[in-house]
Amino acid sequence: MKTTNDTTTAGHGGGDVRLTGIGKTYGSFTAVHPLDLTVPQGSFFALLGASGCGKTTTLRMIAGLEEPTSGAVHLGDQDVTALPPYKRPVNTVFQSYALFPHLDIFENVAFGLRRRGIKSVKKQVEEMLELVQLGEQARKKPHQLSGGQQQRVAVARALINHPKVLLLDEPLGALDLKLRRQMQLELKRIQTEVGITFVHVTHDQEEAMTMADTVAVMNAGRVEQLGSPADLYENPRTTFVANFLGTSNFIEAEVDSASGGELVLKAGGGKLVLPGARNSAPTTTGGKVLVGVRPEKISLTHADDAGEIPEGRNRITGRITGAGFIGVSTQFVVDSPVCSDFEVYVQNIDRDARLVPGAEVVLHWNPAHTFGLDAAQSLLAGTVGSAGVETVAEEVG
Ligand code: ATP
């Protein structure tokens, strides 16, 4: 994935999607602020964000289903901005599978080929059904299949057109949680096997992180941060990203000193250490930093055992106010002088029976697991890369 200022080195093969200054307004309302984004050929790219953030509008502009107010869409070297959807080398899979109910699965998949006047479709259709593991179901009608199977038919029906980019608009939204998880892995396998560019729109952070190589987190019509799932999770640059992908605890702190690649911060009368490389806030003495730490990185020790905590760890004292046992872990809420509802997830290996609401505790963690945000600037506007896509030109149903 390339950022706005780094589009020139993007490969311009057939499956790159490049958006330059693409934006959309409805009257005085801006649904998508002008953005530059490159999705390299062959990648699995996710547009992630809450309802109304502009992700579907962005996808539809790539598909040609929505006319941009500004900017251009390139697929590979081709400027497709003025092309209607059916002339773009893209196919779209929607949440509603839009299969033909009166046709069997074989004929649903064969539809795109037949429409182009191709007579001998058997081999290609069988290959596609094999790819989505529905070879046995070829002669069934859509209503005889499960939701997940129907969605796989929709994917096969799109892929048989050999799009350069496959666009997926909340394709798993109608499935129950267990099926969604199965289908996430299935879609990832299919994408790896066919090797074409997938652009996937979802509001589900787990789904985006499971499948995508690169995730663009959108907020209020802007791409707020773009990166690999691990990078976004470990190094969020805004509070929005830090909270949209998982949970984060925040402590307001002030720079005390900086040396040897580390910052020492003052927070609530104590000191915390932050690696300089994980800080995006100013480092001048007195500068305000929002210190972040994920709940699973923190250990909880009863105050009576505080002496056993190794040197060199960040530590905060507090009192447990809530404890929820969820099997794999216990989720504690701790009231501390620097944060009233600190969340801590402790794996249920050797449970300390004293860790119950009311207990005085010390929270401690490896300073390497701390990240720092600019307290004054939590929104990072307009950071984008580029991409290549193919949408399903035929919208059936
Ligand atoms: P969802 O997940 O709910 O579909 P989204 O992030 O995909 O949300 P979009 O569908 O892209 O959001 O819509 C972005 C914003 O643009 C929303 O506030 C929406 O109300 C607005 N919008 C979308 N289409 C239109 C339209 N035709 N006219 C006016 N406003 C629109």
Side-chain angles (χ1 to χ4, degrees):
M1 189 52 41
K2 314 288 179 192
T3 63
T4 308
N5 303 318
D6 188 23
T7 55
T8 49
T9 56
H12 289 174
D16 272 8
V17 180
R18 274 188 302 131
L19 309 181
T20 38
I22 199 103
K24 181 72 184 177
T25 56
Y26 295 105
S28 60
F29 176 73
T30 303
V32 178
H33 293 269
L35 71 83
D36 299 325
L37 184 69
T38 298
V39 180
Q41 175 165 18
S43 63
F44 199 133
F45 184 83
L47 285 167
L48 171 69
S51 182
C53 71
K55 55 194 187 300
T56 299
T57 303
T58 303
L59 193 84
R60 289 174 63 83
M61 289 193 286
I62 299 169
L65 300 168
E66 203 73 68
E67 196 183 334
T69 315
S70 65
V73 179
H74 283 80
L75 298 177
D77 287 331
Q78 192 186 10
D79 183 344
V80 299
T81 318
L83 291 185
Y86 64 89
K87 288 199 174 157
R88 299 186 184 201
V90 300
N91 278 84
T92 309
V93 174
F94 299 95
Q95 180 175 331
S96 58
Y97 325 118
L99 302 179
F100 295 116
H102 57 287
L103 296 181
D104 66 19
I105 301 313
F106 184 99
E107 287 304 324
N108 263 282
V109 174
F111 176 79
L113 298 180
R114 294 213 193 278
R115 207 183 49 165
R116 281 189 275 144
I118 297 168
K119 292 272 167 6
S120 50
V121 300
K122 190 164 182 288
K123 184 164 176 287
Q124 281 195 69
V125 173
E126 281 175 356
E127 276 172 13
M128 272 303 146
L129 288 174
E130 210 54 48
L131 176 73
V132 299
Q133 297 178 339
L134 288 175
E136 308 287 298
Q137 319 288 341
R139 291 303 164 195
K140 285 189 177 168
K141 294 279 177 62
H143 75 270
Q144 294 172 300
L145 300 188
S146 71
Q149 288 171 327
Q150 290 184 47
Q151 191 55 283
R152 270 145 57 194
V153 177
V155 170
R157 193 182 54 178
L159 288 177
I160 204 160
N161 299 315
H162 297 292
K164 288 181 176 154
V165 180
L166 187 71
L167 303 177
L168 303 123
D169 190 359
E170 297 271 9
L172 311 180
L175 307 179
D176 67 42
L177 188 61
K178 199 162 168 219
L179 204 48
R180 268 179 99 111
R181 293 218 168 114
Q182 279 173 14
M183 277 298 292
Q184 288 165 9
L185 300 175
E186 188 67 6
L187 276 178
K188 180 73 189 165
R189 177 191 65 77
I190 292 169
Q191 192 268 342
T192 309
E193 218 165 304
V194 296
I196 68 166
T197 314
F198 276 32
V199 180
H200 180 107
V201 158
T202 181
H203 64 274
D204 182 334
Q205 55 108 3
E206 194 179 303
E207 184 165 305
M209 292 175 84
T210 304
M211 294 194 288
D213 311 312
T214 306
V215 178
V217 183
M218 288 191 76
N219 182 25
R222 290 190 163 89
V223 172
E224 190 143 324
Q225 192 173 343
L226 181 134
S228 69
D231 187 40
L232 290 176
Y233 188 79
E234 298 298 344
N235 297 301
R237 281 186 285 160
T238 68
T239 49
F240 178 82
V241 174
N243 283 321
F244 201 78
L245 276 77
T247 302
S248 297
N249 295 296
F250 287 110
I251 303 163
E252 286 178 21
E254 196 179 298
V255 179
D256 186 52
S257 62
S259 67
E262 278 185 352
L263 292 175
V264 177
L265 306 161
K266 288 192 282 191
K271 298 265 172 79
L272 296 171
V273 173
L274 165 67
R278 298 196 63 193
N279 177 46
S280 53
T283 56
T284 44
T285 302
K288 305 281 185 221
V289 179
L290 211 48
V291 173
V293 59
R294 298 284 190 182
E296 74 279 8
K297 313 283 198 214
I298 304 169
S299 303
L300 210 53
T301 296
H302 194 276
D304 290 350
D305 299 340
E308 294 169 18
I309 300 170
E311 287 296 309
R313 289 175 70 81
N314 281 335
R315 61 172 74 198
I316 282 168
T317 55
R319 189 169 45 82
I320 295 175
T321 55
F325 177 81
I326 60 158
V328 65
S329 65
T330 300
Q331 303 194 343
F332 293 95
V333 181
V334 177
D335 182 22
S336 81
V338 290
C339 174
S340 59
D341 50 2
F342 228 98
E343 290 200 44
V344 183
Y345 304 160
V346 177
Q347 271 200 296
N348 289 323
I349 301 169
D350 299 311
R351 296 176 66 210
D352 182 344
R354 296 171 299 170
L355 298 180
V356 291
E360 299 292 333
V361 291
V362 180
L363 302 85
H364 53 102
W365 66 93
N366 182 342
H369 291 143
T370 318
F371 58 89
L373 303 181
D374 186 345
Q377 186 220 343
S378 85
L379 189 80
L380 186 80
T383 310
V384 192
S386 69
V389 184
E390 150 147 317
T391 50
V392 179
E394 99 228 24
E395 284 181 68
V396 188

